[in-house]
């Protein structure tokens, strides 16, 4: 399958049309942004890590009953996906306090949550992706009640599968963000699961192995992405 027209260029990916109108090809870049595009940089090799790790995770989740948009990995950076209509929500699941939740609730980073926390943000860069609840989502028409229920159920199941998987890799899954798409009347997991979109802490040392190293200028960014590839057995 070949890349045809460039359909969209985002912060970290390009999306191309293909000869099959049901499919598209995503191409992962090394460009990194944080704080809604205010901070920009490059993480060498990030596109390869995110493409391969995301495809690996999507295949694992498919096996466990989560429908996804994954079709076929073409090479280190390019993957064929089902062409979905993205539900305009960032779905965040948290197991320990970190980042914006720590700030908002005044909880020290690493505080365990008594139950997983599920959050929705409206995907809109100009508004800074504001947090919304089910009432906002229904009132604004971002998704239907049935879609919210399916998305919530999948997000919590994905969390359980990922906690177990990363435990075996000696990695603590602190939190993550996922997105969903509509495809022929079905809700599919879409976008990516990678160190850009998850917080991964080494289980023994609590060392950060994710994009927080870039966001917070901690150094060792490329090394952290490479370490995650090793932990999941892809390097
Ligand atoms: O910044 P915050 O603490 O709300 O992030 C929660 C989780 O969602 C983190 O794992 C972060 O990497 C991810 N996230 C993301 N894209 C965003 C916002 C958050 O992948 N736009």
């Amino acid at each position: 399958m070949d890349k045809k027209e460039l359909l969209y260029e985002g912060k970290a990916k390009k999306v191309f049309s293909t000869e099959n109108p049901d499919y598209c090809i995503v191409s992962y870049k090394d460009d990194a942004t944080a704080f809604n595009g205010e901070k920009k940089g490059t993480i060498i090799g990030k596109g390869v890590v995110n493409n391969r790790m995301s495809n690996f995770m999507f295949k694992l989740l498919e096996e466990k009953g989560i429908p996804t948009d994954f079709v076929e990995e073409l090479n280190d950076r390019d993957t064929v996906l089902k062409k979905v209509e993205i539900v305009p929500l960032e779905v965040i699941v948290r197991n320990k306090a970190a980042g914006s939740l720590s700030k908002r609730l005044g909880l020290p980073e690493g505080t365990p949550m008594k139950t997983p926390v599920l959050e929705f943000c409206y995907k809109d860069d100009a508004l800074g992706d504001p947090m919304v609840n089910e009432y906002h989502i229904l009132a604004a028409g971002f998704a239907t009640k049935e879609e919210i229920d399916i998305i919530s159920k999948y997000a919590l199941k994905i969390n359980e599968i990922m906690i177990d998987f990363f435990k075996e890799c000696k990695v603590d899954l602190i939190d993550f963000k996922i997105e969903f798409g509509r495809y022929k009347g079905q809700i599919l997991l879409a976008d990516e699961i990678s160190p850009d979109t998850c917080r991964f802490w080494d289980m023994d040392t609590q060392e950060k192995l994710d994009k927080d190293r870039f966001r917070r200028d901690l150094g060792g960014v490329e090394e952290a992405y490479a370490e995650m590839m090793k932990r999941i057995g892809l390097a």
Side-chain angles (χ1 to χ4, degrees):
M1 201 167 296
D2 296 315
K3 293 180 198 165
K4 301 275 180 205
E5 203 188 321
L6 178 66
L7 296 176
Y8 159 87
E9 177 155 11
K11 295 169 209 160
K13 299 185 204 89
K14 286 181 186 173
V15 181
F16 297 88
S17 62
T18 68
E19 55 268 31
N20 183 335
D22 285 341
Y23 291 167
C24 61
I25 293 175
V26 65
S27 189
Y28 283 76
K29 306 189 283 184
D30 286 351
D31 298 347
T33 61
F35 313 118
N36 201 15
E38 269 172 50
K39 182 180 169 107
K40 288 192 174 71
T42 304
I43 301 174
I44 297 163
K46 173 172 86 84
V48 175
V49 171
N50 289 10
N51 180 48
R52 296 192 56 214
M53 177 166 173
S54 194
N55 292 341
F56 178 87
M57 295 308 301
F58 275 43
K59 280 188 262 182
L60 176 86
L61 292 166
E62 281 272 3
E63 281 167 20
K64 308 257 179 196
I66 305 288
T68 78
D69 67 356
F70 175 79
V71 179
E72 184 193 0
E73 187 171 290
L74 293 177
N75 57 51
D76 272 359
R77 288 184 186 266
D78 300 334
T79 293
V80 182
L81 301 174
K82 290 175 186 155
K83 195 164 152 195
V84 302
E85 177 200 350
I86 286 286
V87 177
L89 297 172
E90 298 203 329
V91 181
I92 295 172
V93 184
R94 303 177 185 268
N95 298 305
K96 289 187 176 176
S100 68
L101 183 76
S102 285
K103 270 203 195 121
R104 195 158 6 94
L105 300 187
L107 296 170
E109 289 212 315
T111 307
M113 301 288 97
K114 292 189 196 311
T115 60
V117 175
L118 181 64
E119 293 174 356
F120 299 105
C121 294
Y122 172 45
K123 260 173 77 71
D124 187 306
D125 285 342
L127 298 175
D129 301 333
M131 196 193 285
V132 289
N133 65 26
E134 201 170 314
Y135 287 90
H136 298 117
I137 297 169
L138 291 175
F142 299 147
T144 65
K145 175 79 176 99
E146 292 70 31
E147 287 175 332
I148 299 171
D149 289 347
I150 294 171
I151 286 172
S152 304
K153 189 182 82 182
Y154 285 166
L156 294 172
K157 185 168 173 201
I158 290 167
N159 186 43
E160 284 175 16
I161 297 166
M162 293 213 323
I163 287 174
D164 287 347
F165 173 75
F166 285 109
K167 201 181 276 174
E168 296 295 313
C169 312
K170 298 266 177 285
V171 169
D172 212 353
L173 178 67
I174 304 300
D175 59 30
F176 61 93
K177 184 268 308 181
I178 46 180
E179 296 183 24
F180 292 88
R182 303 180 180 106
Y183 182 80
K184 301 181 190 252
Q186 223 195 341
I187 288 286
L188 305 182
L189 177 66
D191 196 51
E192 69 181 272
I193 294 179
S194 72
D196 272 16
T197 62
C198 304
R199 284 195 173 95
F200 297 128
W201 292 4
D202 179 276
M203 206 169 257
D204 298 325
T205 64
Q206 311 291 287
E207 187 191 359
K208 292 177 172 48
L209 297 172
D210 57 59
K211 195 175 168 188
D212 271 348
R213 301 205 75 84
F214 169 78
R215 296 188 186 102
R216 302 178 188 188
D217 295 320
L218 300 176
V221 184
E222 279 89 359
E223 291 79 359
Y225 279 67
E227 178 63 23
M228 280 307 301
M229 287 292 270
K230 275 198 207 143
R231 295 287 179 103
I232 65 173
L234 287 180

